[in-house]
Amino acid sequence: MSETSARLLNLLSLLQTPREWPGSELARRLSVTSRTIRRDIERLRELGYPVHATMGAEGGYRLAAGTAMPPLLLDDDEAVAIAVGLRSAAGHTVEGIEEASVRALAKLEQVLPARLRRRVGTLGTATVPLPAGDGPTVDPEHLTVLAAAITNHERLRFHYRAGTGPRSKRLVEPHRLVASGRRWYLVAYDNDREDWRIFRVDRLSEPFPTGVRTAPRELPAADAGAYVRERMQGMSASHRAVATVRAPAAEVAGRLGGPAAGEVVALDEASCRWHSTPDSLEWLALRLAMLGHEFTVHEPPELAAYLREMGGRAGRAGAALCGGEEGAEEGERGR
Protein backbone atom coordinates (compact mmCIF):
# COMPACT_ATOMS: atom_id res chain seq x y z
CA MET A 1 0.00 0.00 0.00
CA SER A 2 1.37 3.46 -0.92
CA GLU A 3 2.12 6.05 1.73
CA THR A 4 -0.70 8.28 0.45
CA SER A 5 -3.27 5.47 0.49
CA ALA A 6 -2.29 4.42 4.00
CA ARG A 7 -2.53 8.02 5.19
CA LEU A 8 -6.00 8.42 3.63
CA LEU A 9 -7.21 5.29 5.41
CA ASN A 10 -5.83 6.56 8.72
CA LEU A 11 -7.47 9.93 8.13
CA LEU A 12 -10.80 8.31 7.32
CA SER A 13 -10.57 6.21 10.48
CA LEU A 14 -10.10 9.35 12.58
CA LEU A 15 -12.95 11.20 10.87
CA GLN A 16 -15.36 8.31 11.57
CA THR A 17 -15.06 9.14 15.26
CA PRO A 18 -18.14 11.33 16.03
CA ARG A 19 -16.34 14.63 16.74
CA GLU A 20 -14.82 17.60 14.92
CA TRP A 21 -11.08 17.44 14.26
CA PRO A 22 -9.07 20.66 13.94
CA GLY A 23 -6.79 20.52 10.93
CA SER A 24 -3.76 21.11 13.12
CA GLU A 25 -4.59 18.10 15.30
CA LEU A 26 -5.10 15.86 12.26
CA ALA A 27 -1.76 17.04 10.89
CA ARG A 28 -0.07 16.25 14.20
CA ARG A 29 -1.69 12.80 14.41
CA LEU A 30 -0.62 11.88 10.90
CA SER A 31 2.77 13.65 11.01
CA VAL A 32 2.08 15.81 7.95
CA THR A 33 1.45 19.49 7.23
CA SER A 34 -1.93 21.22 7.40
CA ARG A 35 -1.71 21.72 3.63
CA THR A 36 -1.41 17.93 3.14
CA ILE A 37 -4.49 17.43 5.34
CA ARG A 38 -6.48 19.86 3.16
CA ARG A 39 -5.40 17.96 0.02
CA ASP A 40 -6.34 14.61 1.60
CA ILE A 41 -9.76 15.96 2.63
CA GLU A 42 -10.39 16.92 -1.00
CA ARG A 43 -9.37 13.41 -2.13
CA LEU A 44 -11.89 11.89 0.31
CA ARG A 45 -14.61 14.20 -1.01
CA GLU A 46 -13.80 13.12 -4.58
CA LEU A 47 -14.25 9.50 -3.44
CA GLY A 48 -17.74 10.33 -2.17
CA TYR A 49 -17.10 10.88 1.53
CA PRO A 50 -19.10 13.90 2.80
CA VAL A 51 -16.44 15.66 4.87
CA HIS A 52 -17.81 18.92 6.29
CA ALA A 53 -15.59 21.80 7.41
CA THR A 54 -16.49 24.59 9.85
CA MET A 55 -14.52 27.82 10.19
CA GLY A 56 -13.32 29.57 13.32
CA ALA A 57 -11.28 28.79 16.40
CA GLU A 58 -13.62 25.93 17.38
CA GLY A 59 -14.05 24.65 13.83
CA GLY A 60 -12.62 21.65 12.13
CA TYR A 61 -13.47 18.63 9.97
CA ARG A 62 -16.12 15.97 10.54
CA LEU A 63 -17.63 13.15 8.49
CA ALA A 64 -21.36 13.74 7.92
CA ALA A 65 -24.13 11.40 6.85
CA GLY A 66 -24.29 11.09 3.07
CA THR A 67 -26.68 9.68 0.51
CA ALA A 68 -24.91 6.30 0.47
CA MET A 69 -23.19 4.11 3.03
CA PRO A 70 -19.40 4.52 2.69
CA PRO A 71 -16.96 1.75 3.66
CA LEU A 72 -16.39 1.69 7.42
CA LEU A 73 -13.07 1.30 9.17
CA LEU A 74 -13.45 -0.60 12.42
CA ASP A 75 -10.93 -1.37 15.11
CA ASP A 76 -10.68 -4.91 16.49
CA ASP A 77 -13.12 -4.44 19.39
CA GLU A 78 -15.69 -2.71 17.17
CA ALA A 79 -15.54 -5.48 14.55
CA VAL A 80 -15.96 -8.19 17.19
CA ALA A 81 -18.88 -6.34 18.80
CA ILE A 82 -20.70 -5.96 15.47
CA ALA A 83 -20.11 -9.59 14.49
CA VAL A 84 -21.42 -10.87 17.84
CA GLY A 85 -24.47 -8.60 17.60
CA LEU A 86 -25.24 -9.76 14.07
CA ARG A 87 -24.88 -13.41 15.12
CA SER A 88 -27.39 -12.84 17.89
CA ALA A 89 -29.87 -11.18 15.52
CA ALA A 90 -29.42 -13.90 12.89
CA GLY A 91 -29.69 -16.83 15.30
CA HIS A 92 -32.74 -15.57 17.16
CA THR A 93 -34.71 -13.96 14.32
CA VAL A 94 -35.40 -10.36 15.22
CA GLU A 95 -38.54 -9.37 13.30
CA GLY A 96 -37.73 -7.44 10.14
CA ILE A 97 -33.90 -7.63 10.16
CA GLU A 98 -33.21 -11.38 9.99
CA GLU A 99 -32.12 -11.60 6.35
CA ALA A 100 -30.22 -8.30 6.50
CA SER A 101 -28.35 -9.59 9.58
CA VAL A 102 -27.26 -12.72 7.72
CA ARG A 103 -26.10 -10.77 4.65
CA ALA A 104 -24.15 -8.29 6.77
CA LEU A 105 -22.63 -11.07 8.90
CA ALA A 106 -21.54 -12.98 5.81
CA LYS A 107 -19.79 -9.88 4.42
CA LEU A 108 -18.11 -9.07 7.73
CA GLU A 109 -16.88 -12.58 8.52
CA GLN A 110 -15.46 -12.89 5.01
CA VAL A 111 -12.98 -10.09 5.71
CA LEU A 112 -12.34 -10.60 9.44
CA PRO A 113 -8.73 -11.52 10.23
CA ALA A 114 -8.24 -15.01 11.67
CA ARG A 115 -7.47 -13.65 15.13
CA LEU A 116 -10.83 -11.79 15.23
CA ARG A 117 -12.77 -14.77 13.88
CA ARG A 118 -11.36 -16.77 16.78
CA ARG A 119 -12.49 -14.10 19.24
CA VAL A 120 -16.00 -14.07 17.79
CA GLY A 121 -16.14 -17.87 17.89
CA THR A 122 -14.91 -17.95 21.48
CA LEU A 123 -17.57 -15.49 22.57
CA GLY A 124 -20.25 -17.49 20.80
CA THR A 125 -19.11 -20.71 22.48
CA ALA A 126 -18.86 -19.21 25.95
CA THR A 127 -22.26 -17.46 26.00
CA VAL A 128 -25.78 -18.88 26.03
CA PRO A 129 -28.48 -16.37 25.02
CA LEU A 130 -31.97 -16.67 26.47
CA PRO A 131 -34.33 -17.26 23.51
CA ALA A 132 -36.98 -14.58 23.22
CA GLY A 133 -39.56 -16.74 21.47
CA ASP A 134 -40.85 -20.26 21.07
CA GLY A 135 -39.17 -21.12 17.75
CA PRO A 136 -36.15 -23.34 17.13
CA THR A 137 -32.69 -21.79 17.27
CA VAL A 138 -30.25 -21.92 14.37
CA ASP A 139 -26.47 -21.77 14.23
CA PRO A 140 -25.42 -18.34 12.85
CA GLU A 141 -22.31 -19.97 11.34
CA HIS A 142 -24.58 -22.21 9.28
CA LEU A 143 -26.50 -19.15 8.09
CA THR A 144 -23.32 -17.37 6.98
CA VAL A 145 -22.06 -20.47 5.13
CA LEU A 146 -25.41 -20.79 3.33
CA ALA A 147 -25.56 -17.07 2.54
CA ALA A 148 -22.03 -17.11 1.08
CA ALA A 149 -22.85 -20.16 -1.07
CA ILE A 150 -26.01 -18.47 -2.35
CA THR A 151 -24.07 -15.31 -3.26
CA ASN A 152 -21.32 -17.31 -4.99
CA HIS A 153 -23.75 -19.73 -6.76
CA GLU A 154 -21.80 -22.59 -5.19
CA ARG A 155 -22.99 -26.14 -4.53
CA LEU A 156 -23.31 -27.26 -0.91
CA ARG A 157 -23.18 -30.57 0.93
CA PHE A 158 -24.78 -31.05 4.35
CA HIS A 159 -26.46 -33.58 6.62
CA TYR A 160 -30.21 -33.22 7.04
CA ARG A 161 -32.68 -34.61 9.57
CA ALA A 162 -36.24 -34.89 8.26
CA GLY A 163 -39.23 -34.12 10.46
CA THR A 164 -39.98 -37.84 10.83
CA GLY A 165 -36.44 -38.60 11.99
CA PRO A 166 -34.44 -40.11 9.07
CA ARG A 167 -31.06 -38.52 8.32
CA SER A 168 -29.57 -38.08 4.87
CA LYS A 169 -26.69 -36.41 3.02
CA ARG A 170 -27.66 -33.74 0.52
CA LEU A 171 -25.96 -32.07 -2.42
CA VAL A 172 -27.79 -28.90 -3.41
CA GLU A 173 -27.60 -25.64 -5.33
CA PRO A 174 -28.76 -23.07 -2.75
CA HIS A 175 -31.11 -20.37 -4.01
CA ARG A 176 -32.35 -18.25 -1.09
CA LEU A 177 -32.74 -18.17 2.70
CA VAL A 178 -36.26 -17.38 3.90
CA ALA A 179 -37.17 -16.29 7.45
CA SER A 180 -40.77 -17.07 8.37
CA GLY A 181 -42.02 -16.41 11.89
CA ARG A 182 -39.22 -17.79 14.05
CA ARG A 183 -37.97 -20.40 11.54
CA TRP A 184 -35.33 -20.28 8.79
CA TYR A 185 -35.75 -22.18 5.52
CA LEU A 186 -33.26 -22.87 2.73
CA VAL A 187 -34.74 -23.02 -0.75
CA ALA A 188 -32.42 -25.09 -2.95
CA TYR A 189 -32.29 -27.35 -5.98
CA ASP A 190 -31.54 -30.91 -4.81
CA ASN A 191 -29.10 -32.43 -7.30
CA ASP A 192 -29.68 -36.04 -6.26
CA ARG A 193 -33.48 -35.76 -6.44
CA GLU A 194 -33.40 -33.42 -9.46
CA ASP A 195 -36.06 -31.17 -7.97
CA TRP A 196 -36.53 -28.11 -5.78
CA ARG A 197 -36.65 -28.66 -2.03
CA ILE A 198 -37.17 -26.67 1.18
CA PHE A 199 -34.90 -27.40 4.16
CA ARG A 200 -35.36 -26.19 7.72
CA VAL A 201 -32.01 -24.72 8.73
CA ASP A 202 -32.33 -25.86 12.36
CA ARG A 203 -32.38 -29.48 11.08
CA LEU A 204 -29.28 -28.99 8.94
CA SER A 205 -25.73 -29.79 10.08
CA GLU A 206 -22.15 -29.72 8.77
CA PRO A 207 -22.75 -27.52 5.72
CA PHE A 208 -19.71 -26.97 3.53
CA PRO A 209 -19.24 -25.52 0.06
CA THR A 210 -17.90 -27.88 -2.62
CA GLY A 211 -16.15 -25.21 -4.67
CA VAL A 212 -18.28 -26.06 -7.73
CA ARG A 213 -19.95 -22.99 -9.26
CA THR A 214 -23.26 -23.37 -11.10
CA ALA A 215 -25.46 -21.17 -13.26
CA PRO A 216 -28.53 -19.84 -11.38
CA ARG A 217 -31.68 -21.92 -11.92
CA GLU A 218 -35.14 -20.47 -12.42
CA LEU A 219 -37.33 -21.04 -9.37
CA PRO A 220 -40.86 -22.34 -10.19
CA ALA A 221 -42.48 -19.46 -8.28
CA ALA A 222 -42.56 -15.67 -8.23
CA ASP A 223 -39.98 -15.57 -5.43
CA ALA A 224 -38.54 -17.75 -2.68
CA GLY A 225 -40.97 -16.44 -0.05
CA ALA A 226 -43.99 -17.32 -2.19
CA TYR A 227 -42.51 -20.75 -2.94
CA VAL A 228 -42.08 -21.57 0.77
CA ARG A 229 -45.58 -20.33 1.59
CA GLU A 230 -47.22 -22.37 -1.18
CA ARG A 231 -45.30 -25.56 -0.38
CA MET A 232 -45.86 -25.33 3.36
CA GLN A 233 -49.59 -24.83 2.90
CA GLY A 234 -49.78 -27.79 0.55
CA MET A 235 -47.84 -30.19 2.79
CA SER A 236 -50.40 -30.33 5.60
CA ALA A 237 -53.89 -29.21 6.44
CA SER A 238 -53.82 -25.64 7.68
CA HIS A 239 -56.36 -23.40 9.35
CA ARG A 240 -56.83 -19.69 9.90
CA ALA A 241 -57.69 -18.79 13.47
CA VAL A 242 -59.79 -15.85 14.60
CA ALA A 243 -59.66 -15.22 18.34
CA THR A 244 -60.29 -12.42 20.81
CA VAL A 245 -57.50 -12.02 23.35
CA ARG A 246 -58.04 -10.08 26.57
CA ALA A 247 -54.78 -8.14 26.44
CA PRO A 248 -53.51 -4.99 24.67
CA ALA A 249 -52.87 -5.39 20.94
CA ALA A 250 -49.22 -4.31 21.13
CA GLU A 251 -48.42 -6.91 23.79
CA VAL A 252 -50.16 -9.71 21.88
CA ALA A 253 -48.46 -8.79 18.59
CA GLY A 254 -45.09 -8.84 20.31
CA ARG A 255 -45.64 -12.23 21.91
CA LEU A 256 -46.90 -13.72 18.65
CA GLY A 257 -43.72 -12.64 16.87
CA GLY A 258 -44.92 -9.81 14.67
CA PRO A 259 -46.72 -9.60 11.30
CA ALA A 260 -45.55 -13.07 10.19
CA ALA A 261 -48.04 -14.60 12.65
CA GLY A 262 -51.02 -12.68 11.28
CA GLU A 263 -52.95 -9.47 11.96
CA VAL A 264 -53.69 -8.17 15.44
CA VAL A 265 -56.45 -5.51 15.62
CA ALA A 266 -57.16 -3.53 18.79
CA LEU A 267 -60.76 -3.73 20.01
CA ASP A 268 -60.14 -1.47 23.01
CA GLU A 269 -57.26 -0.74 25.37
CA ALA A 270 -57.50 -4.14 27.04
CA SER A 271 -58.46 -6.55 24.22
CA CYS A 272 -57.74 -7.32 20.58
CA ARG A 273 -58.69 -9.64 17.71
CA TRP A 274 -56.10 -11.98 16.17
CA HIS A 275 -56.49 -13.14 12.55
CA SER A 276 -53.77 -15.76 12.10
CA THR A 277 -51.89 -16.87 9.03
CA PRO A 278 -52.64 -20.49 7.95
CA ASP A 279 -51.08 -23.07 10.27
CA SER A 280 -51.74 -26.41 11.96
CA LEU A 281 -54.27 -26.76 14.79
CA GLU A 282 -51.49 -27.85 17.15
CA TRP A 283 -49.37 -24.77 16.47
CA LEU A 284 -52.31 -22.34 16.65
CA ALA A 285 -53.42 -23.83 19.97
CA LEU A 286 -49.91 -23.63 21.39
CA ARG A 287 -49.50 -20.00 20.37
CA LEU A 288 -52.78 -19.04 22.04
CA ALA A 289 -51.94 -20.96 25.20
CA MET A 290 -48.48 -19.34 25.39
CA LEU A 291 -49.95 -15.81 25.36
CA GLY A 292 -50.71 -16.04 29.09
CA HIS A 293 -54.09 -14.26 28.77
CA GLU A 294 -57.75 -15.24 28.53
CA PHE A 295 -59.00 -15.70 24.98
CA THR A 296 -62.06 -16.76 22.98
CA VAL A 297 -61.79 -18.69 19.71
CA HIS A 298 -64.34 -17.67 17.07
CA GLU A 299 -63.10 -19.93 14.29
CA PRO A 300 -62.38 -22.54 13.14
CA PRO A 301 -64.53 -24.92 15.20
CA GLU A 302 -61.78 -27.56 14.87
CA LEU A 303 -59.45 -25.32 16.88
CA ALA A 304 -61.99 -24.85 19.67
CA ALA A 305 -62.46 -28.63 19.82
CA TYR A 306 -58.71 -29.23 19.90
CA LEU A 307 -58.30 -26.72 22.75
CA ARG A 308 -61.05 -28.47 24.77
CA GLU A 309 -59.27 -31.78 24.27
CA MET A 310 -55.90 -30.25 25.20
CA GLY A 311 -57.43 -28.57 28.26
CA GLY A 312 -58.93 -31.86 29.38
CA ARG A 313 -55.55 -33.59 29.21
CA ALA A 314 -53.89 -30.76 31.14
CA GLY A 315 -56.63 -30.80 33.78
CA ARG A 316 -56.38 -34.56 34.30
CA ALA A 317 -52.60 -34.30 34.63
CA GLY A 318 -52.97 -31.55 37.23
CA ALA A 319 -55.59 -33.51 39.16
CA ALA A 320 -53.39 -36.60 39.22
CA LEU A 321 -50.46 -34.57 40.57
CA CYS A 322 -52.60 -32.97 43.29
CA GLY A 323 -53.98 -36.37 44.23
CA GLY A 324 -50.46 -37.79 44.60
CA GLU A 325 -49.36 -34.91 46.80
CA GLU A 326 -52.44 -35.21 49.02
CA GLY A 327 -51.84 -38.93 49.37
CA ALA A 328 -48.26 -38.32 50.39
CA GLU A 329 -49.35 -35.80 53.02
CA GLU A 330 -51.88 -38.26 54.43
CA GLY A 331 -49.15 -40.88 54.67
CA GLU A 332 -46.90 -38.48 56.59
CA ARG A 333 -49.68 -37.71 59.10
CA GLY A 334 -50.36 -41.42 59.63
CA ARG A 335 -46.82 -42.17 60.74
Side-chain angles (χ1 to χ4, degrees), residues 156-162 165-172 189-193 197 199 203-208 210:
L156 274 173
R157 289 191 183 275
F158 54 79
H159 294 266
Y160 190 70
R161 173 179 55 82
R167 295 178 178 272
S168 59
K169 294 182 180 180
R170 301 298 183 99
L171 175 65
V172 306
Y189 184 84
D190 192 314
N191 293 100
D192 294 327
R193 291 153 182 79
R197 290 289 189 271
F199 303 95
R203 295 176 179 168
L204 181 153
S205 62
E206 301 178 48
F208 67 93
T210 63

Side-chain angles (χ1 to χ4, degrees), residues 25-95:
E25 185 174 353
L26 290 174
R28 182 179 59 80
R29 290 283 190 112
L30 299 176
S31 301
V32 295
T33 65
S34 295
R35 182 180 178 183
T36 299
I37 291 297
R38 289 194 294 272
R39 272 203 314 265
D40 288 347
I41 291 294
E42 288 305 316
R43 289 193 181 100
L44 289 178
R45 287 170 175 163
E46 291 171 1
L47 292 172
Y49 292 94
V51 182
H52 287 194
T54 54
M55 306 301 291
E58 300 299 325
Y61 299 101
R62 62 183 176 84
L63 190 64
T67 58
M69 179 71 183
L72 292 176
L73 296 176
L74 305 171
D75 63 28
D76 287 4
D77 290 340
E78 292 168 342
V80 169
I82 291 175
V84 171
L86 289 171
R87 280 184 171 221
S88 178
H92 299 279
T93 53
V94 179
E95 181 65 33

Side-chain angles (χ1 to χ4, degrees), residues 132-291:
D134 52 7
T137 59
V138 297
D139 188 337
E141 289 189 10
H142 291 175
L143 288 173
T144 55
V145 170
L146 298 178
I150 290 168
T151 301
N152 297 331
H153 304 294
E154 190 172 358
R155 283 181 180 169
L156 274 173
R157 289 191 183 275
F158 54 79
H159 294 266
Y160 190 70
R161 173 179 55 82
T164 53
R167 295 178 178 272
S168 59
K169 294 182 180 180
R170 301 298 183 99
L171 175 65
V172 306
E173 297 171 18
H175 177 74
R176 287 291 185 275
L177 282 166
V178 177
S180 176
R182 298 200 65 81
R183 291 195 181 114
W184 280 96
Y185 298 95
L186 171 67
V187 177
Y189 184 84
D190 192 314
N191 293 100
D192 294 327
R193 291 153 182 79
E194 298 184 345
D195 198 5
W196 289 92
R197 290 289 189 271
I198 299 172
F199 303 95
R200 272 181 49 174
V201 178
D202 59 292
R203 295 176 179 168
L204 181 153
S205 62
E206 301 178 48
F208 67 93
T210 63
V212 177
R213 302 291 182 89
T214 61
R217 294 180 184 268
E218 185 177 352
L219 185 70
D223 55 59
Y227 183 73
V228 170
R229 184 168 53 251
E230 293 166 4
R231 291 292 299 271
M232 296 300 290
Q233 290 177 4
M235 288 172 61
S236 60
S238 59
H239 303 265
R240 288 183 179 272
V242 179
T244 296
V245 183
R246 289 160 185 79
E251 179 183 345
V252 171
R255 292 183 69 87
L256 286 171
E263 182 183 17
V264 178
V265 180
L267 299 178
D268 52 46
E269 292 184 356
S271 64
C272 59
R273 182 73 50 83
W274 177 41
H275 298 262
S276 80
T277 51
D279 218 319
S280 66
L281 292 177
E282 294 84 355
W283 187 244
L284 293 171
L286 179 62
R287 303 202 84 162
L288 284 167
M290 293 292 287
L291 290 176

